[in-house]
Amino acid sequence: MLRPYSVANVEEACIFFPGIDFLNLYRFPSIDTAHAVADILNERFYNVVILTLIGQWKRSHRGIMTSAVTSRHLYRHRLDISLPPYVVPRTPLHSVMRHNLVVMLFNASSPFREEALRVFEREKDVVILSECDEQPFSVCDADAHKVEWEDIVQQSRFVLLHESMPHFNTALYRALEATVVPVIFAPNLVLPFSDYIDWQLISLQPSSLPRVPDVIARLTPSKVEKMRAQIRKVHSQFSSLHGIVNMTMHVLESRMLPVKARTYEQCNLLAERPLALPHLERPTELLMVTWCDASNALQTLQYIRQLTSAGLLSSVAVIWRDDDNYPTREAWETAVHVEIFTGVEHAYDVQSIVKQNSNDVLLIVPQGHCSLDVKVVRKSLNIWRTQPDRAIAIPCGRSESKAVIVHKMLFSSMVKGDQNVISSEMLIEEILNVVPSLHVITREHADGVLISYECHNSYKRAKIGVNRRAIAMRRTLYFLLL
């Protein structure tokens, strides 16, 4: 893991890792022997990094002490490094949160234990763990039942840790691994990578035990979720041996090259969520309501398949107007569900068809040769999403007919249920006469096709000839809001 940072010439090295295993306590007969070996290394080399588990090192030499057990009164700020322990990751339990707080009283002093019992024994959703009476190396709950404290931590939201408990850093690592917010009472210990990790963002450090219930109760669910997100980010930095080495090298590099180093705020900045732009959202799926007979069945089926392949339709309702020739369902097989209705004579029949469908947005297509372009329909749908209280009229190619995009609720309020539905054009005209419409003008219309300007109860038509204005209009799409 250190190979990318290594150099062949000792004189070129700025950091020196000795080949002596200071982590092995049995290698040295006494602490004085370890000190003597470290002094020999410091006389010859600069910036000697000593990885050790021995807590009582004398700090007179210039070696960089890196340890997972670092006392605050022996820690040299901006020189020594407090490391997290390397713990083999556990398989997470797929269980629900059963406890709000777990209080660990392993090896706690008598005053701390008595105060903790007095504060938490009447609190709800609090589990108190301590040593078993008959087996001091095992963990038991308040009912003297032997339990696995790591499993209890994974099923909790908060865990209280104190510095006197054995393997304090291991318990802290397990809490972060399970994204459990730790409540820390460790005034005499330096937390891992405390020079660069803001532990106030991922833990609670109350001033006294009686304040713990109030501090937890004041946390909102959004605040707890934000702390858990920050815990996941911090834990990912040293959840493996490779991550611990990389973080250590980053700390050393930032001390020697402070201009290149990230600031304290940058190290603790939570990554922002990517911005979701409106045009990247999935388009609204439509219910197509169309009128059809035997003469235009093939053309209708063709543009249904085109719009379906573009992901614009989720279902189709075909109102069949030919009583002499009934269609077969095999001929109307498409990627979406197509229902064919016969005998539709009144507006309430159409309302019933629309009401039974789960889609909220309708694409009403008139009977006849209405060729709908996929790009125009998609653009019209995007415009409707910005104006959902309007009806969007889409010209049918070179025909004077128009299709309409409208919300189901507006459609039901605009159409009179007892009136006869003579044709699809009459129904569309009724919709456009009630609701102001937004017309999409395409290049074909700029070439001289008739354009309709719809208002509440009247409309007028204008003929646009092929002139300079029409030539300029060919180059783009025009949208007129009336």
Side-chain angles (χ1 to χ4, degrees), residues 71-123:
S71 177
R72 188 174 297 275
H73 69 278
L74 295 177
Y75 181 77
R76 296 172 296 179
H77 184 64
R78 305 295 297 178
L79 181 61
D80 296 337
I81 302 175
S82 178
L83 296 178
Y86 174 64
V87 184
V88 179
R90 297 183 79 243
T91 303
L93 295 177
H94 299 284
S95 59
V96 296
M97 294 294 179
R98 298 182 179 179
H99 317 292
N100 187 45
L101 174 65
V102 175
V103 180
M104 294 189 176
L105 298 180
F106 319 147
N107 199 34
S109 61
S110 298
F112 188 89
R113 182 186 297 271
E114 293 175 0
E115 187 177 11
L117 293 176
R118 184 175 64 256
V119 172
F120 299 109
E121 63 181 356
R122 296 184 180 180
E123 293 289 335

Side-chain angles (χ1 to χ4, degrees), residues 382-395:
N382 290 336
I383 297 174
W384 175 87
R385 295 171 68 180
T386 63
Q387 301 285 338
D389 58 338
R390 291 179 177 269
I392 310 299
I394 308 174

